[in-house]
Amino acid sequence: MSEEFITLTFPDGSNRKYHKDITGLEVAESISQGLARNALSITVNGSILDLDQPVTHDGKITINTWESDDGQYTFWHSSAHLMAEAVQELYPEAKFGIGPPIENGFYYDIDFGDQPFGLDQLDKVEQKMIELARQKSRFQKKTVSKAEALSHYQEKDNEYKIDLINELEEGTITFYQQGTFIDLCRGPHVPDTSVIKAVKLTKLAGAYWRGDVKSKQLTRIYGISFPKQKLLDEYLHQVEEAKKRDHKKLGRELGIYMIDNMVGPGLPLWLPNGTQLRRTLEHFLRDEQKHRGYQEVITPHIANLNLYKTSGHYPYYKDSQYNPMEVDDDEYMLKPMNCPHHHRIYSNELRSYRDLPVRLAEFGTVYRYEQSGELNGLSRVRGFTQDDAHIYCTHDQLKDEIKNVIDLTQFVFKTFGMPVDIRLSFRDDNEEKYGGDMEYWERAQKEIQEVADELKLDYKIVEGEASFYGPKIDFIIRDAIGRKWQLGTVQVDYVMPERFDLTYIGSDNDRHRPVIIHRAPFGSMERFVSILIEHFAGDFPLWLAPLQAKVLPISAEFNSYAEECTDLLKSAGLRVETDTRSEKIGAKIRDAENSKIPYMIIMGEREREQNTVSVRRHKRGDIGSYPFKKFLNKMKEEADNRELPPLSI
RNA sequence: GCCAAUGUAGCUCAGCCGGUAGAGCAACGCUCUCGUAAAGCGUAGAUCAUCGGUUCGAAUCCGUUCAUUGGCUCCA
């Protein structure tokens, strides 16, 4: 290897030789002036660097522009600094915490002291940002000693930065300055502020310093920025579109659910349409589980507090449970989970190894006292139903059972057309968060990973995400507009069998401990329905639609023929209604379209004579005329096959 | 629970600097019996979330409580 030259490999696989210590900008210039103009930063061997930083070694290089994630990351990081500069100009007393880029934009946590900071002040900050951006201030990097860094912030009386610096190693501390604002920061940044052309500050929130409830709460300002006004407009338009599929809006419009203050916050009431939808989902999963050897059980909504003391849940989750109620001389609690009930069912009889695995399933309704600020439509509630099941098996059966559960879960999400990412959630070394022996944990984690490998799953491991009694496999689905939701989980549990003294008689005639798998593909029916509504934007596939077709007679003269057809469709197991209002056909169609009903069946003179139906498909319009019987079969087939509509995005 | 914002008819919203509520859609009634995204006319519907304060007078200003929304924290 030469001292003077380095070889850089570009994303397309090509190589080029450069003088050692060439900067990113010079590399970009060597390719094209256009690229150099658009370059924001470079990524070398996985780390993002400033454009003017010298490259010292051979390696893979990417010139980051707005088009890449790393480029946006740099852009938004610099935008956070720009916002801080604007805030500093307007509020010189403000003290700054942290200000990172995030998935969609950036934020900065700021301590405004006693000055309240409200939404109406965001405009001013925005304007200031644009004004400052136009000054084209360079982002300049400085390496400082720890002592210098500390004294800088002592002078500013900023305890937050001091807190951060104290955790840094001497020699690694850098500041970046643009305009009048200087900030502790490891970078990288865009070359200068002029690339930031459009800014929107989007949200204001309280955020605890370092995420700790006991620390001071800072004001967090969220924003997003773009290199062109047009991109900002597009982004805002997209946000508007996303709002249109909000399940809280559609849930009301489509008659899915309501929340009533007289009943209580976080306690959803399922309306007829929502109940139909939920029952369809339950039937779907129930049938599938029946095929896979599950037995269904039903357990009560309250139980003696001792049950949860035995399970160990009570002390862990005391704050998020409804207070116990006194019954006779005992204390009872609304059930916050179904597991202990199922464990008692397991213990109801002596189990032989020949009986295992025992798979107990229940659509079990549970109640948890969620913090008031957490409640959200159907997706975060205080009373909800889990599609819960517990599988009791021998150690030898464990891996196969996990495989079956993964297979079921994948089948379920495939049916809804949702792509799935898999995460193995393991423990970290915080002893207090977990129950049970370390030995069990290691074993369970090893087995889960082995199964994932054997199934050739594409997974990632995240430490610290386990539940308190065991590691999990989490299924993270992506919806139609790319948002991610953690849904189904599979958990391996060695703790509860001990606590509940669960046993089975082995072939050796001795007692043994079974292993438990907890699993819930949907997680909660409430949350899953909220996600389905947003995924389909309310345009459900035929098999899920609460009302599958509306028969629309042209005028009252055809009402009876329409009713006849409706009855025939109903007898075929389809959900159909007739619209006999004295409205014009256009109005009937419009109302049916707005209610997102998949099929509209129009009946008039022609149809009655020829025994046909004229059919419209939701959002697609007239799809022509069919002999009645043929259409009935077509509809039936589409519903039975659980066909997915083309997604509207 | 904490921070910020919001709360006017079933829904969507108007109501300026205080002078005691207004529209569209929906509902209901009547007329029209109609061919692929809104027929016409009429009727009814609101102690302006709550409690309290300021004021001659409060939907409007101030405070309380409740709820909702967006975040933070939490999520068996």
Side-chain angles (χ1 to χ4, degrees), chain A residues 496-521:
Chain A
M496 290 303 144
E498 295 284 337
R499 286 183 173 271
F500 280 88
D501 192 24
L502 305 183
T503 58
Y504 68 91
I505 308 296
S507 56
D508 57 3
N509 207 29
D510 267 349
R511 283 176 182 263
H512 298 276
R513 285 261 179 261
V515 191
I516 302 174
I517 300 170
H518 305 240
R519 43 108 282 180

Side-chain angles (χ1 to χ4, degrees), chain A residues 481 493 648:
Chain A
I481 53 174
D493 177 5
S648 51

Side-chain angles (χ1 to χ4, degrees), chain A residues 545-607:
Chain A
L547 186 62
Q548 297 174 310
K550 198 132 192 170
V551 177
L552 313 176
I554 295 285
S555 73
E557 194 193 331
F558 311 103
N559 280 357
S560 59
Y561 177 60
E563 299 276 16
E564 265 174 56
C565 295
T566 300
D567 286 346
L568 286 170
L569 289 162
K570 277 186 180 169
S571 330
L574 294 162
R575 299 183 289 274
V576 187
E577 281 175 9
T578 321
D579 184 349
T580 54
R581 295 174 306 160
S582 71
E583 288 289 349
K584 284 173 62 176
I585 191 67
K588 291 185 184 181
I589 288 170
R590 184 168 196 275
D591 290 341
E593 284 287 354
N594 287 338
S595 311
K596 300 181 180 295
I597 296 161
Y599 284 109
M600 285 145 278
I601 303 168
I602 290 147
M603 300 283 185
E605 186 63 45
R606 265 201 312 278
E607 288 73 20

Side-chain angles (χ1 to χ4, degrees), chain A residues 200-216:
Chain A
K200 178 79 190 165
L201 300 184
T202 49
K203 291 173 233 178
L204 204 53
Y208 301 104
W209 174 240
R210 307 215 131 187
D212 182 353
V213 190
K214 281 169 263 166
S215 310
K216 180 158 182 175

Side-chain angles (χ1 to χ4, degrees), chain A residues 475-492:
Chain A
F475 294 81
I476 294 149
I477 64 102
R478 263 170 296 141
D479 72 11
I481 53 174
R483 291 172 304 182
K484 291 182 175 184
W485 307 94
Q486 190 201 311
L487 285 173
T489 65
V490 179
Q491 306 173 15
V492 177

Side-chain angles (χ1 to χ4, degrees), chain A residues 138 153 262 475:
Chain A
R138 291 198 63 76
Y153 283 113
M262 210 178 275
F475 294 81

Side-chain angles (χ1 to χ4, degrees), chain A residues 104-119:
Chain A
N104 268 311
F106 57 88
Y107 67 79
Y108 218 118
D109 284 348
I110 302 165
D111 180 354
F112 284 97
D114 300 329
Q115 257 180 305
F117 189 87
L119 223 44

